[in-house]
Amino acid sequence: PLPSGRDAYRTLADYNDDLRELAAIRPAIAKRITLPHKSLDGRTVYGIEIGRNVQAAEDGRPVFVLLGLHHAREWPSGELAMEFAYDLVQNYGTDARITGLLDRSRVVVVPVVNVDGFELSRTDGSLVDLREVDAGGTVSLLGTPGNAYKRKNCRVVDGQDPIDGTCRVASATSPGGYGVGVDLNRNYGGFWGGPGASDVFADPTYRGAGPFSEPEIQNVRELISGRQVTTMISNHTFSNLVLRPNGVHPDTIGHDGLPVGNAPDEEALKALGARMTAANGYRNIHGWELYDTTGTTEDWSYNATGGFGYTFEIGPDEFHPPFPKVVDEYLGAGAYAGKGNREAYLAALENAVDTATHAVISG
Ligand code: 0X9
Ligand code: ZN
């Protein structure tokens, strides 16, 4: 079973309850944190900070940051982040490896970055797509019921009407679509405004009015800027990939202030990618090998801070599969025997500690 014992997807309320309770179980090593900005719809965003003597002020130990649910429909991305937090808190003091790592680092987990979008997706959606079968037996996807496949946040722009006056992506008469919102994984300041992001509000990759325009992304900026984050993973679904900077093809970049060629730390970024993909069985590639993007989490965090940053695309083929698959993808069980993200995150945490040991980043 998972560290938390859960066997179904959390709601936003479940995440908030779990973050509070997990911190309360072991306050010597776990502290709930409140991010500085409320979401557009006024929700508080919480995380948890884990490590030896965590109630004291930051002491310069390196930090590993694990993020989930930038994209509302990608439910496993929050689950795996939350389960790693449980794993660490439960095993500190008994598991020598985890104890040693948490003595020398802190880990910050924010399982739900896009609280508004996730709440809508999780509570006003369905796991079942609307399909039509024609006389010849051909199946076509008409759309998704409710809002289970919402991607973006709940930004409304003047003159661009939200469906039914809300954050919804779908209505009874208009299933599917992308609806309102900014793509939070195009809103960071890393090469914002470049290729692989849209300036059209209705598009799935709408980048927002400017870099860091969205409070949900201001939260992540301030979280990372205020700590010595040596390794960051942003969880998404799906495609079984570990993506590293850069997000833009070397032939595309080199214009308009975009970087030329590979990231300066290409060899080390690739090496950690190899360690993590040995653990989870995914492919270890540059972001641009999936497709060009700008304004993503890792392109900002790596270029702004020097801390290594990755996107994990969890799972082979579904935004939110039946929950037993999520369990196996964390533990490396069942169809994923020996290939789990638990071990990949531990490799990332070891790197976070090791990077600081070698003093690559000044404190
Ligand atoms: O497009 C995204 O934001 C991510 N894929 S998703 O299906 N989860 O939406 C991938 C972004 C990773 N970075 C690069 N491709 N550069
Ligand atoms: Zn995503």
Side-chain angles (χ1 to χ4, degrees):
L2 289 171
S4 71
R6 286 195 66 88
D7 60 5
Y9 283 108
R10 290 172 172 89
T11 62
L12 181 61
D14 291 333
Y15 278 107
N16 290 342
D17 288 347
D18 283 355
L19 288 165
R20 192 184 58 245
E21 287 169 16
L22 186 59
I25 291 169
R26 299 193 74 178
I29 59 152
K31 176 176 71 176
R32 191 183 69 161
I33 60 172
T34 302
L35 278 72
H37 302 276
K38 288 194 172 180
S39 71
L40 284 173
D41 286 350
R43 293 187 174 88
T44 302
V45 183
Y46 296 107
I48 188 164
E49 185 156 12
I50 304 164
R52 175 179 53 80
N53 199 17
V54 78
Q55 302 294 341
E58 294 291 330
D59 57 8
R61 276 142 68 205
V63 176
F64 168 49
V65 168
L66 181 58
L67 306 173
L69 283 161
H70 277 72
H71 290 146
R73 61 193 172 191
E74 300 174 7
W75 303 352
S77 71
E79 295 293 339
L80 266 58
M82 196 69 218
E83 292 303 327
F84 190 61
Y86 269 87
D87 221 325
L88 296 177
V89 171
Q90 290 174 346
N91 285 305
Y92 182 87
T94 51
D95 179 298
R97 179 185 184 196
I98 286 174
T99 307
L101 288 167
L102 290 175
D103 280 343
R104 289 178 289 152
S105 68
R106 290 188 182 192
V107 176
V108 177
V109 176
V110 181
V112 189
V113 170
N114 180 5
V115 285
D116 297 341
F118 175 65
E119 172 68 7
L120 184 67
S121 170
R122 179 67 184 81
T123 64
D124 192 27
S126 165
L127 293 175
V128 184
D129 293 333
L130 293 176
R131 289 190 166 84
E132 183 182 65
V133 185
D134 72 14
T138 303
V139 179
S140 51
L141 182 66
L142 294 177
T144 56
N147 294 277
Y149 287 82
K150 182 176 176 64
R151 170 180 171 93
K152 302 189 286 179
N153 76 348
C154 288
R155 172 67 71 183
V156 173
V157 173
D158 283 352
Q160 307 262 6
D161 288 337
I163 295 170
D164 301 339
T166 73
C167 189
R168 295 173 63 85
V169 297
S171 68
T173 53
S174 170
Y178 288 98
V180 305
V182 169
D183 181 353
L184 295 181
N185 204 30
R186 300 293 183 279
N187 190 240
Y188 289 88
F191 317 123
W192 185 93
S198 176
D199 61 0
V200 176
F201 179 65
D203 282 355
T205 62
Y206 175 57
R207 66 194 183 193
F212 298 109
S213 59
E214 304 310 290
E216 297 89 351
I217 294 314
Q218 294 166 16
N219 276 334
V220 179
R221 174 175 60 178
E222 289 164 40
L223 176 81
I224 290 178
S225 297
R227 292 172 174 79
Q228 183 170 321
V229 178
T230 54
T231 308
M232 185 286 301
I233 294 172
S234 181
N235 281 335
H236 288 253
T237 64
F238 57 86
S239 293
N240 285 357
L241 300 171
V242 168
L243 302 172
R244 66 181 182 276
N246 289 310
V248 192
H249 191 282
D251 290 348
T252 308
I253 59 183
H255 307 285
D256 301 327
L258 296 170
V260 179
N262 281 327
D265 296 297
E266 162 68 6
E267 287 313 310
L269 284 161
K270 185 178 177 183
L272 177 55
R275 279 183 67 195
M276 296 190 294
T277 54
N280 62 18
Y282 295 176
R283 285 206 302 144
N284 178 32
I285 61 175
H286 303 92
W288 58 260
E289 294 178 73
L290 177 62
Y291 43 69
D292 278 352
T293 59
T294 47
T296 63
T297 315
E298 70 273 15
D299 268 2
W300 167 71
S301 66
Y302 169 65
N303 286 290
T305 73
F308 287 7
Y310 298 84
T311 288
F312 275 26
E313 294 282 7
I314 297 161
D317 52 14
E318 290 170 281
F319 287 117
H320 44 241
F323 197 79
K325 293 192 184 183
V326 180
V327 178
D328 291 346
E329 285 163 353
Y330 182 74
L331 297 172
Y336 303 89
K339 299 288 182 187
N341 278 300
R342 177 184 199 268
E343 280 298 319
Y345 298 148
L346 285 170
L349 175 54
E350 278 169 354
N351 179 77
V353 171
D354 197 45
T355 304
T357 303
H358 296 299
V360 172
I361 297 166
S362 66

Short mmCIF file of all heavy atoms in Angstrom, two decimals, residues 71 74 151 236-237 313, ligand 2:
data_model
loop_
_atom_site.label_atom_id
_atom_site.label_comp_id
_atom_site.label_asym_id
_atom_site.label_seq_id
_atom_site.Cartn_x
_atom_site.Cartn_y
_atom_site.Cartn_z
N HIS A 71 -1.28 21.50 -13.59
CA HIS A 71 -2.38 21.25 -14.54
C HIS A 71 -3.48 20.47 -13.82
O HIS A 71 -3.24 19.39 -13.28
CB HIS A 71 -1.86 20.46 -15.75
CG HIS A 71 -0.96 21.28 -16.62
ND1 HIS A 71 0.10 20.77 -17.30
CD2 HIS A 71 -1.00 22.62 -16.91
CE1 HIS A 71 0.70 21.75 -17.98
NE2 HIS A 71 0.05 22.87 -17.75
N GLU A 74 -4.33 16.58 -13.98
CA GLU A 74 -3.24 15.61 -13.85
C GLU A 74 -3.14 15.13 -12.41
O GLU A 74 -2.14 15.33 -11.71
CB GLU A 74 -1.95 16.26 -14.37
CG GLU A 74 -2.10 16.65 -15.85
CD GLU A 74 -0.94 17.44 -16.44
OE1 GLU A 74 0.08 17.59 -15.75
OE2 GLU A 74 -1.07 17.88 -17.59
N ARG A 151 -7.40 22.08 -17.65
CA ARG A 151 -5.92 22.15 -17.56
C ARG A 151 -5.45 23.41 -16.82
O ARG A 151 -4.57 23.34 -15.97
CB ARG A 151 -5.35 22.17 -18.99
CG ARG A 151 -3.86 22.50 -19.10
CD ARG A 151 -3.45 22.47 -20.58
NE ARG A 151 -2.11 22.95 -20.83
CZ ARG A 151 -1.02 22.17 -20.89
NH1 ARG A 151 -1.11 20.88 -20.68
NH2 ARG A 151 0.17 22.69 -21.17
N HIS A 236 3.91 16.07 -13.58
CA HIS A 236 2.78 16.17 -14.52
C HIS A 236 2.38 14.75 -14.92
O HIS A 236 3.04 13.78 -14.54
CB HIS A 236 3.20 16.95 -15.78
CG HIS A 236 3.37 18.43 -15.55
ND1 HIS A 236 2.47 19.36 -16.01
CD2 HIS A 236 4.34 19.12 -14.90
CE1 HIS A 236 2.89 20.58 -15.65
NE2 HIS A 236 4.02 20.47 -14.97
N THR A 237 1.31 14.63 -15.70
CA THR A 237 1.00 13.38 -16.40
C THR A 237 0.76 13.76 -17.86
O THR A 237 0.28 14.88 -18.11
CB THR A 237 -0.26 12.70 -15.85
OG1 THR A 237 -1.41 13.51 -16.07
CG2 THR A 237 -0.12 12.38 -14.36
N GLU A 313 6.77 13.38 -16.35
CA GLU A 313 5.48 13.07 -16.97
C GLU A 313 5.14 11.64 -16.56
O GLU A 313 5.66 10.67 -17.11
CB GLU A 313 5.56 13.20 -18.50
CG GLU A 313 5.80 14.62 -18.99
CD GLU A 313 4.54 15.49 -18.97
OE1 GLU A 313 3.49 15.06 -18.45
OE2 GLU A 313 4.62 16.63 -19.50
ZN ZN B 2 0.96 18.98 -17.22
#
